[in-house]
Amino acid sequence: MKSQVVWKCFCSTVSKVIEKDNHYEATLYDFTVGMRWIYRFLIPLSIDVPKVDISHLTLSGFPVIPALVLKYKYGTPIIATEHGVFIRERLIAINSSEYSFFLKNLLIKFSECITKLVYYKSDMILSVNKFNMSWEKKYGANPNKIDVIYNGIDSDLFVPGAKPAHLQNVPTVVAAARIFELKDILTMIKSCAVAKRSIPNVRYLVYGDNAAVPQYTKECNDLIKELKLEDNFILAGYHDKPHQLFCEGDISILTSISEGFPYTVLESMSCGVPVVATDVGGVTEALDSTCGFICKPKDFESLGQSVVNLLQDDVLRKNGRKCTQESD
């Protein structure tokens, strides 16, 4: 990867692609960064992978490289498990980045090629929902290889419980979510501002790692201050007893822009807590209108109003609690 032959081949190939497309330019910086990325992506090729009976990929992306080494060397079968859709989340991340058009295009095409390779070479593709299947087929997966195994939870652990005394008279929304872009906490904060217009003492308690992406956490804290929600929206950090956190709320919320088959929805329902969630991934395969509200991603007005509807309507909320327990 450091030889002149490889560099010249890369430059020549890329130049032909740019000339053919004829609608963008690339700088020397673009070329060198692109080459470094390819070098890093392909580093696993240099690893001497030990022989095993089966390779299990937990996403349809770059982990396929050592699995392919084993498949070509020993005929080792590959199973790929799809939780979130790797290529969908890659496209979201790449398109929202500040890279040049050239680098975005390179990353997208490279990622798509890897995904197609995973689907083509896998002996079995297991999804946690039916939603993923449309993406798998779009990128060339043989439908005969695909099966669905839904996530499961311990329904003996996630059970209805009493709301803590200090929250008894506080309309409370809980969330279990790591603080990063895919969970779209910024939209959740905006939905709190919407709910506050009708319920001034509403409180959102968001449990999850708030140190994973410091810059995003800062954006969230800045927005909380800007909207004057310091008393309403709490980034509560890690909770060491996840089976208890849902019982702190009257309802729970999920505002993700991408999901697989989210445990938080299942756990909330198992605890008898109605859910307000975005229509992403397999959410609608677990949740319907008898157990909560489903809204479009990023639609903070609809999310906030759904929170208000559930918090202000005791009968609706109690029916939701009943239905969630029955669905479990």
Side-chain angles (χ1 to χ4, degrees):
M1 295 295 286
K2 295 179 180 178
S3 71
Q4 286 191 19
V5 173
V6 172
W7 171 251
K8 287 178 179 178
C9 178
F10 173 74
C11 291
S12 172
T13 303
V14 169
S15 296
K16 288 176 184 175
V17 172
I18 293 174
E19 185 179 350
K20 181 181 177 183
D21 290 350
N22 198 32
H23 62 269
Y24 66 92
E25 297 179 348
T27 64
L28 179 60
Y29 174 80
D30 288 330
F31 274 63
T32 53
V33 170
M35 191 62 179
R36 289 192 192 104
W37 281 350
I38 292 173
Y39 170 75
R40 291 187 177 276
F41 290 147
L42 297 182
I43 277 178
L45 283 172
S46 65
I47 298 170
D48 185 16
V49 188
K51 186 178 180 181
V52 296
D53 296 314
I54 192 166
S55 299
H56 177 208
L57 310 179
T58 57
L59 57 82
S60 296
F62 296 102
V64 75
I65 293 174
L68 283 175
V69 171
L70 293 177
K71 194 170 185 76
Y72 287 127
K73 207 170 179 181
Y74 306 112
T76 308
I78 299 174
I79 291 180
T81 301
E82 291 266 58
H83 294 271
V85 180
F86 165 80
I87 189 60
R88 179 177 184 271
E89 294 178 358
R90 286 290 290 168
L91 293 175
I92 291 171
I94 294 168
N95 284 314
S96 62
S97 72
E98 295 182 358
Y99 297 132
S100 67
F101 181 87
F102 169 83
L103 289 175
K104 285 184 179 181
N105 201 32
L106 176 66
L107 272 180
I108 287 171
K109 290 188 175 184
F110 202 118
S111 300
E112 288 183 327
C113 285
I114 289 290
T115 294
K116 289 176 182 178
L117 195 56
V118 172
Y119 293 152
Y120 181 68
K121 288 294 185 180
S122 291
D123 297 272
M124 181 175 288
I125 302 165
L126 299 174
S127 291
V128 296
N129 59 50
K130 294 177 182 175
F131 169 83
N132 291 356
M133 294 171 68
S134 61
W135 282 84
E136 291 158 357
K137 292 173 184 175
K138 177 180 177 181
Y139 282 89
N142 182 342
N144 295 327
K145 292 182 180 179
I146 304 172
D147 202 356
V148 175
I149 301 177
Y150 287 116
N151 289 333
I153 60 168
D154 186 347
S155 57
D156 292 328
L157 185 63
F158 289 90
V159 296
K163 192 177 178 185
H166 69 283
L167 294 171
Q168 282 294 335
N169 297 315
V170 181
T172 309
V173 183
V174 294
R178 190 160 70 104
I179 312 304
F180 77 123
E181 290 85 347
L182 284 181
K183 299 298 180 182
D184 199 6
I185 307 301
L186 294 174
T187 288
M188 192 185 295
I189 295 167
K190 293 174 185 177
S191 80
C192 180
V194 173
K196 185 181 177 182
R197 296 199 297 251
S198 301
I199 309 174
N201 65 332
V202 68
R203 185 175 300 175
Y204 281 53
L205 298 175
V206 184
Y207 290 103
D209 183 2
N210 52 22
V213 186
Q215 182 56 39
Y216 189 75
T217 301
K218 182 181 182 303
E219 286 183 51
C220 291
N221 283 321
D222 290 346
L223 183 60
I224 290 168
K225 289 178 184 176
E226 179 186 334
L227 298 177
K228 297 180 171 51
L229 296 174
E230 291 92 338
D231 295 330
N232 303 92
F233 198 98
I234 314 298
L235 296 178
Y238 174 72
H239 196 299
D240 62 354
K241 293 180 176 143
H243 59 286
Q244 295 180 2
L245 72 85
F246 291 103
C247 298
E248 295 185 11
D250 300 291
I251 64 174
S252 74
I253 190 168
L254 177 142
T255 55
S256 300
I257 57 174
S258 183
E259 282 288 350
F261 194 65
Y263 282 104
T264 55
V265 170
L266 305 178
E267 291 164 354
S268 180
M269 292 169 68
S270 188
C271 291
V273 177
V275 184
V276 174
T278 45
D279 185 3
V280 292
V283 168
T284 56
E285 294 170 49
L287 179 69
D288 62 26
S289 58
T290 64
C291 308
F293 286 92
I294 298 168
C295 308
K296 292 180 180 178
K298 295 192 173 293
D299 188 348
F300 59 87
E301 284 286 348
S302 177
L303 287 159
Q305 193 53 55
S306 296
V307 166
V308 171
N309 291 344
L310 273 172
L311 289 178
Q312 289 187 334
D313 192 328
D314 291 342
V315 174
L316 182 64
R317 191 172 64 257
K318 286 173 183 176
N319 283 342
R321 284 183 178 273
K322 181 181 176 183
C323 288
T324 53
Q325 292 172 59
E326 287 176 349
S327 353
D328 175 63

